[in-house]
Amino acid sequence: MEFLDVAAASKDVLVGLLMVLSLALTVIGLLSYRRTGNPKVGMVTISFILFLLKGIFLAVGLYFTDLVRVPRGFAFSFDIMLAIDVLVLLALYLALFRKGRS
Amino acid sequence: MPGMLSFYGRVPFTGQTVVLMCLLTLTMLMPIMSSSQGATVIDFGDEATDVLEDADHNGLAEYLVIKVKVNVYEPGAYILHGTIGGDHIAASHGPLVLEIGPHELELRFSGGDISLFGVTGHYRIELELYSTDSSLDPVVKEIFTSDIYRPQMFEAPQGTGRVSVSTDRDKVYVIGDPLTISVNQTYPQLTFFYTVDEGRGSTSSLTYTTLIAFDDSDSDGVWDPELDEKKYEADLTMVDWELDLDVKNGVVISLYGVVQLRLAGTTTFVAWAKVTFRLTSTLLLETYDSQKFDIDIDLWQPLDATHIAVLHTLRDDTGERSIEEGPEDGSDPVVHQLRVVNDRGGTQNTYSWTDEITVGYSSLSTGSEASTWYDIGDGVADIWFSYPLEGDVQVIHHDPTVGMDPENIPDVKPDEDFIRNSVLIMLCGLGLGILVVGATLYSRKVMTMKRKGGDT
């Protein structure tokens, strides 16, 4: 059986999570901005769009072209940075729902 | 149908009986079927044993010897191959012609290689047995775990440029630094390249293709196709070549075949000769950048021709380099040299020889002189060695040299190791994210509905 490359698998899962969370936040942000017209919400939405672009760039670069390649020596650091991005988005996403419940 | 009824009545459970009979017949036929298809021709016997060989009694072993018991079910030529630590250390024995019955074979792993391997503990030795006849059973494998050994128990290799031997099913490799040579196991071909680049950018090959005997009508020692001099010919690529690997005294690789010489332009075989290409690792020069090898022609009967000549081809296998004639260096005897030159003009592979040969009747006894000529093309050179058959000469020996120029060893950077990307696992992450978002949206909806329900 082929050895499961934990660093590589973690990176793949994190890229998937990053794209979904950033997309969800972008959609929610756009809907909120359309409803409120608040420029602060617009700015926050732009930051979510940037996260989404980052996710798309990584997905295209890693899986469909050779644009992005992660050296094995850098894999652990790469995973940590991706995990922090995902945690930031997750915290913001959950914060929206907390606000909704209150 | 009264008949049918009475039949069923006399033989109860006829349906089950028929099925049972079929099963019994199949069971009886199975051994016959299995023996006719993919039958075991050789197998490992009892557990192998391991001993250290310390021939000079200095307390350090020159070889780790694995004694392997095998059972042969079909006579033939077999090769025993073993590796320690993946492909770090390899050893082979054979091809050995074995008769039916049990045999004990030896695999000798170089103590120098084990010393450099640097591992202490039980060695996991992967053993393989296979026939030289590729149509027979595939490789039989077994794992043997040795006694505990330390690298300090083995004799370290002398000098920095050590030589090791590695084999695969096609080739035997003699690996030095900077030169690696491989000998094809079934074809008269030598390949040589810089060890450091594993042949990616520096491989050249020498392929022996034709043997002819001719009458030298103009006495120039050279076969002239326009003078109708050729009398006999043989296609060396059509010969059944066999390889013998002897690792007891250095590494001696002998590729030999019996060549049938036929009358030129016909299919009538008139004479036989044994042609041997032999490579001896002890002849690897001290700098480990060049290797002499022997060409031996043993005519089994006298030929009514004045010369016998062998055609071979030096080819740049990378397709990016050219072949040039080396300069005359004024040495005595004259050394002829062909060089494979890269696009910066640097010489990488070299093939050189002198015209000195040794000849004899039944054994090599006297010196003589060969005539050699070549035709250089684009990345390829056709080379002829012509040997005079003066008097009763039937045995001929010539020893050219292949080498790699140590001045032009390529600077090879190790391949950077990137981690793999799996779209499937990324889609799993995507699904997980969708699940999280969906679950939160659903719980929000449920809570909103509950709140609305509470308000009403």
Side-chain angles (χ1 to χ4, degrees):
Chain A
M1 202 177 86
E2 201 178 338
F3 172 70
L4 178 68
D5 191 338
V6 178
S10 307
K11 175 250 312 160
D12 296 330
V13 170
L14 287 168
V15 169
L17 280 170
L18 181 80
M19 283 201 296
V20 173
L21 287 174
S22 56
L23 180 67
L25 283 167
T26 302
V27 171
I28 293 168
L30 287 171
L31 290 173
S32 301
Y33 180 68
R34 221 172 73 175
R35 201 164 58 199
T36 62
N38 187 339
K40 284 181 185 173
V41 175
M43 290 300 286
V44 173
T45 306
I46 289 172
S47 70
F48 294 149
I49 291 170
L50 290 174
F51 267 111
L52 179 61
L53 287 176
K54 179 178 177 176
I56 292 168
F57 172 72
L58 278 177
V60 172
L62 287 168
Y63 308 108
F64 304 109
T65 64
D66 272 342
L67 208 62
V68 183
R69 290 198 295 173
V70 184
R72 185 160 294 283
F74 183 59
F76 187 59
S77 308
F78 189 83
D79 282 355
I80 286 178
M81 288 195 291
L82 260 183
I84 289 171
D85 282 354
V86 169
L87 286 174
V88 165
L89 291 173
L90 198 64
L92 287 167
Y93 183 75
L94 293 176
L96 285 177
F97 285 90
R98 193 174 174 79
K99 186 181 173 189
R101 279 200 295 275
S102 64
Chain B
M1 301 191 43
M4 185 64 86
L5 280 173
S6 65
F7 178 79
Y8 277 121
R10 282 199 300 274
V11 188
F13 310 114
T14 304
Q16 292 93 323
T17 309
V18 169
V19 171
L20 200 65
M21 291 287 284
C22 287
L23 281 174
L24 277 170
T25 314
L26 265 177
T27 315
M28 286 188 289
L29 283 173
M30 268 177 73
I32 301 166
M33 288 158 69
S34 64
S35 67
S36 62
Q37 280 183 351
T40 304
V41 292
I42 191 166
D43 205 355
F44 286 99
D46 295 337
E47 176 81 347
T49 52
D50 50 324
V51 289
L52 293 180
E53 184 179 296
D54 178 16
D56 57 4
H57 304 288
N58 67 350
L60 297 170
E62 292 89 33
Y63 291 99
L64 168 62
V65 181
I66 310 296
K67 297 184 175 181
V68 181
K69 292 185 173 66
V70 300
N71 295 315
V72 176
Y73 303 109
E74 190 166 319
Y78 295 98
I79 295 171
L80 173 65
H81 179 69
T83 54
I84 300 177
D87 281 339
H88 277 94
I89 308 166
S92 284
H93 192 186
L96 298 159
V97 177
L98 300 176
E99 295 300 323
I100 291 175
H103 299 269
E104 187 176 85
L105 310 181
E106 280 187 6
L107 259 190
R108 304 163 71 82
F109 290 98
S110 154
D113 285 350
I114 298 173
S115 167
L116 290 169
F117 183 42
V119 173
T120 298
H122 293 285
Y123 292 160
R124 186 175 184 273
I125 302 173
E126 293 182 19
L127 301 169
E128 291 182 359
L129 270 174
Y130 53 90
S131 168
T132 52
D133 181 355
S134 57
S135 67
L136 288 177
D137 234 17
V139 181
V140 184
K141 295 186 179 185
E142 180 148 304
I143 304 292
F144 169 67
T145 306
S146 76
D147 204 349
I148 294 175
Y149 294 112
R150 288 177 292 111
Q152 294 79 10
M153 296 162 78
F154 296 90
E155 197 135 343
Q158 300 295 312
T160 53
R162 69 193 185 90
V163 177
S164 62
V165 177
S166 169
T167 63
D168 60 27
R169 291 204 81 163
D170 297 326
K171 290 176 178 173
V172 178
Y173 297 86
V174 179
I175 304 163
D177 185 12
L179 169 68
T180 291
I181 305 174
S182 73
V183 181
N184 197 302
Q185 300 212 31
T186 55
Y187 198 72
Q189 185 178 61
L190 290 175
T191 309
F192 54 115
F193 51 83
Y194 284 120
T195 304
V196 70
D197 79 344
E198 297 174 344
R200 283 189 292 265
S202 62
T203 305
S204 288
S205 58
L206 272 175
T207 309
Y208 291 80
T209 54
T210 309
L211 189 70
I212 65 160
F214 65 97
D215 270 336
D216 185 20
S217 55
D218 54 357
S219 304
D220 60 354
V222 173
W223 171 53
D224 191 339
E226 290 167 8
L227 292 181
D228 193 24
E229 295 176 328
K230 186 162 69 174
K231 297 189 80 173
Y232 308 104
E233 62 188 347
D235 183 353
L236 296 179
T237 61
M238 301 301 286
V239 173
D240 287 332
W241 293 95
E242 291 195 38
L243 188 128
D244 188 25
L245 183 63
D246 178 4
V247 290
K248 286 192 175 170
N249 303 299
V251 181
V252 182
I253 301 166
S254 303
L255 183 74
Y256 58 93
V258 176
V259 176
Q260 292 179 305
L261 285 152
R262 61 185 195 289
L263 275 173
T266 72
T267 54
T268 312
F269 293 110
V270 291
W272 284 262
K274 183 180 179 185
V275 176
T276 308
F277 300 98
R278 187 176 296 105
L279 194 147
T280 310
S281 70
T282 49
L283 294 176
L284 193 62
L285 301 184
E286 275 183 19
T287 47
Y288 295 90
D289 57 11
S290 53
Q291 164 81 57
K292 272 190 180 297
F293 67 95
D294 303 331
I295 303 171
D296 287 299
I297 300 172
D298 181 1
L299 296 168
W300 288 0
Q301 56 272 106
L303 282 180
D304 58 336
T306 61
H307 288 74
I308 191 161
V310 61
L311 168 66
H312 53 298
T313 305
L314 172 67
R315 182 180 300 276
D316 163 42
D317 290 344
T318 68
E320 294 169 353
R321 300 173 299 165
S322 57
I323 296 177
E324 293 177 3
E325 192 175 9
E328 296 280 343
D329 61 356
S331 58
D332 185 27
V334 175
V335 176
H336 307 279
Q337 191 184 61
L338 292 179
R339 298 172 163 190
V340 183
V341 178
N342 64 18
D343 54 1
R344 294 184 301 278
T347 300
Q348 293 190 317
N349 312 63
T350 58
Y351 179 45
S352 54
W353 65 92
T354 68
D355 292 338
E356 288 190 336
I357 57 171
T358 317
V359 296
Y361 171 61
S362 57
S363 61
L364 299 165
S365 53
T366 53
S368 185
E369 199 166 297
S371 302
T372 61
W373 67 99
Y374 42 81
D375 178 22
I376 300 175
D378 187 16
V380 64
D382 290 332
I383 306 153
W384 283 96
F385 287 171
S386 170
Y387 309 118
L389 297 171
E390 293 158 340
D392 51 4
V393 165
Q394 282 186 233
V395 189
I396 301 151
H397 171 86
H398 195 189
D399 56 350
T401 303
V402 291
M404 300 302 297
D405 191 330
E407 298 294 319
N408 293 304
I409 297 173
D411 184 18
V412 178
K413 289 179 184 168
D415 288 342
E416 196 157 7
D417 185 17
F418 295 102
I419 59 173
R420 281 177 298 130
N421 305 312
S422 165
V423 181
L424 202 69
I425 299 176
M426 186 271 284
L427 290 175
C428 289
L430 212 70
L432 186 67
I434 291 168
L435 215 67
V436 169
V437 172
T440 47
L441 290 175
Y442 179 73
S443 67
R444 184 189 164 101
K445 193 176 177 183
V446 170
M447 288 183 77
T448 312
M449 281 171 69
K450 271 186 184 172
R451 209 178 300 139
K452 280 181 181 170
D455 291 345
T456 54

